[in-house]
Amino acid sequence: MESVINVNVPQQAYDIAIAPNNLDKLGEMMQSLKLGKKVLLVSNPAIFRHYGEKAIASLNSAEYDVTTCILPAGEQYKTLTAIQKIYNTALENRLERSSTMVALGGGVIGDMTGFAAATWLRGINFIQVPTSLLAMVDAAIGGKTGVNHPKGKNLIGAFYQPKLVLIDPQVLNTLPPREFRAGMAEVIKYGVIWDADLFAALEASKRLDQFRYISEELLQQILNKSCQAKADVVSKDEKESGLRAILNYGHTIGHAVESLTGYKLVNHGEAVAIGMVAAGQLAVHLEMWDKTDAERQDALIKKAGLPTQLPAGLDIEAVIDTLQTDKKVKDGKVRFILPTRIGEVIVTDKVEGDLMREVLPKMQAV
């Protein structure tokens, strides 16, 4: 399994390099980009324990001067306070405009490192080395960086593209099963919004809930097709002025669920899974989507071991209110991404509060 996918965006074109043992080639691949010698590696304790030494050894062999910043793991730590710690480390080690921040971790580490790189000295080099399935297929690609505000997810951020996304599928061997399932939510998303063949390949697999049940052939399809889908969409719409909004399928209600449960009850992928089920039900009620296709989607989500119900006790009115702080709100109207068939979605602001009051309570766990 070895492939290179180009992301051709106006700000800066770059490659997604996918190959086993890529982590050993990190320093070598960065050399080809002609970057400055100072590198700040940002990670969390668990990831650094598994892969920190390997990443640093590769960077040292390419004669980079490496320092590290280890941040707590978890969405609840994706804050400006954590960004300040990155800034402090950058200052202490005299990072320059030619220097590079390397994100070694999942989506949270990638988002924070990217935002720090975008804003330190008004922008320095940035490399993504995603270690979770979710980050590999989604979060590490496309240049969305940022942190959460107490009132909403990712409200503070910037579009800032990396110089390289380096994916080593072998690091998935140490990914906790729950985190693997979270990544599968984003893979299923691509099947629904963009790639019916990927959706069919997922349906053909007996199990999707653990990495050890994924064949090498299917893993290659998952990584290549998901990354290509993200690259295609982002290349057409870098800053989410139109088409790129479809990548938020499942995220509208998903983000509200994350925010209202304090980022502790469900992780991002689980929230997206719930959001996709909700979007599917809304589309069926609006007679935009066939009920059979909605059932196919929900069956795939269940096969991946992901939730399909809203958490018990979640206040539906609070969900509807939280949607008003969503980044996709335009002229006071919430824009939903809704499916019309497997492989196709549309963006619409026709979802009224009354329809949500009808649909969402039926999805709630008892």
Side-chain angles (χ1 to χ4, degrees), residues 56-366:
I56 290 170
S58 179
L59 291 165
N60 285 339
S61 69
E63 299 183 343
Y64 285 105
D65 176 10
V66 187
T67 53
T68 60
C69 179
I70 308 302
L71 302 175
E75 187 80 30
Q76 67 268 39
Y77 297 108
K78 192 174 157 186
T79 64
L80 288 171
T81 303
I83 295 293
Q84 187 66 48
K85 186 175 179 184
I86 301 176
Y87 291 153
N88 291 346
T89 310
L91 183 62
E92 288 162 12
N93 292 279
R94 303 283 194 272
L95 259 65
E96 304 162 357
R97 280 190 171 161
S98 63
S99 303
T100 305
M101 290 188 188
V102 175
L104 177 68
V108 171
I109 289 294
D111 281 5
M112 289 196 291
T113 308
F115 184 61
T119 49
W120 185 252
L121 303 180
R122 296 191 176 94
I124 68 171
N125 301 313
F126 168 46
I127 303 283
Q128 284 271 24
V129 186
T131 59
S132 70
L133 179 62
L134 193 151
M136 288 178 183
V137 301
D138 189 72
I141 306 163
K144 276 189 177 181
T145 72
V147 295
N148 300 329
H149 184 278
K151 295 291 186 183
K153 188 175 166 73
N154 292 332
L155 293 180
I156 305 159
F159 286 97
Y160 195 67
Q161 302 293 345
K163 294 279 187 184
L164 170 72
V165 178
L166 184 145
I167 294 175
D168 184 343
Q170 289 185 313
V171 305
L172 294 173
N173 282 307
T174 57
L175 188 68
R178 188 182 179 192
E179 293 300 322
F180 178 77
R181 293 192 289 271
M184 284 305 306
E186 296 285 358
V187 175
I188 293 167
K189 175 194 80 175
Y190 287 120
V192 176
I193 71 169
W194 197 254
D195 193 329
D197 289 342
L198 174 59
F199 191 95
L202 296 172
E203 281 188 310
S205 179
K206 286 184 180 177
R207 291 185 66 168
L208 297 171
D209 58 321
Q210 291 186 44
F211 178 59
R212 62 195 174 106
Y213 296 118
I214 305 297
S215 68
E216 190 173 326
E217 181 187 2
L218 180 58
L219 180 62
Q220 188 167 351
Q221 280 187 283
I222 284 170
L223 293 176
N224 287 348
K225 283 180 169 288
S226 297
C227 290
Q228 189 66 62
K230 183 80 181 263
D232 288 345
V233 173
V234 168
S235 296
K236 290 181 172 70
D237 177 18
E238 182 179 9
K239 296 192 175 178
E240 206 170 298
S241 56
L243 177 68
R244 184 168 177 169
I246 71 170
L247 294 171
N248 289 301
Y249 178 60
H251 289 58
T252 308
I253 286 174
H255 281 170
V257 171
E258 281 184 276
S259 179
L260 290 169
T261 55
Y263 306 105
K264 292 173 183 174
L265 185 63
V266 295
N267 63 30
H268 178 65
E270 291 163 351
V272 168
I274 294 165
M276 288 193 290
V277 174
Q281 291 301 312
L282 292 167
V284 169
H285 275 72
L286 289 169
E287 298 183 345
M288 292 168 46
W289 203 28
D290 188 80
K291 187 179 178 183
T292 304
D293 281 347
E295 289 170 350
R296 286 176 65 197
Q297 172 195 255
D298 296 357
L300 206 50
I301 289 169
K302 287 177 182 173
K303 188 197 284 189
L306 290 159
T308 56
Q309 292 182 299
L310 288 162
L314 191 67
D315 186 338
I316 301 300
E317 287 302 319
V319 172
I320 295 169
D321 287 345
T322 301
L323 296 180
Q324 290 300 321
T325 66
D326 189 89
K327 298 183 299 300
K328 297 176 292 302
V329 170
K330 189 173 182 181
D331 299 328
K333 291 189 173 182
V334 180
R335 292 187 299 161
F336 274 83
I337 294 84
L338 298 183
T340 54
R341 63 181 178 179
I342 301 295
E344 260 181 49
V345 290
I346 62 164
V347 183
T348 179
D349 61 6
K350 303 302 182 190
V351 179
E352 303 291 344
D354 286 346
L355 178 58
M356 285 187 271
R357 291 182 185 96
E358 181 185 348
V359 170
L360 297 184
K362 295 174 185 174
M363 284 182 56
Q364 197 147 28
V366 178

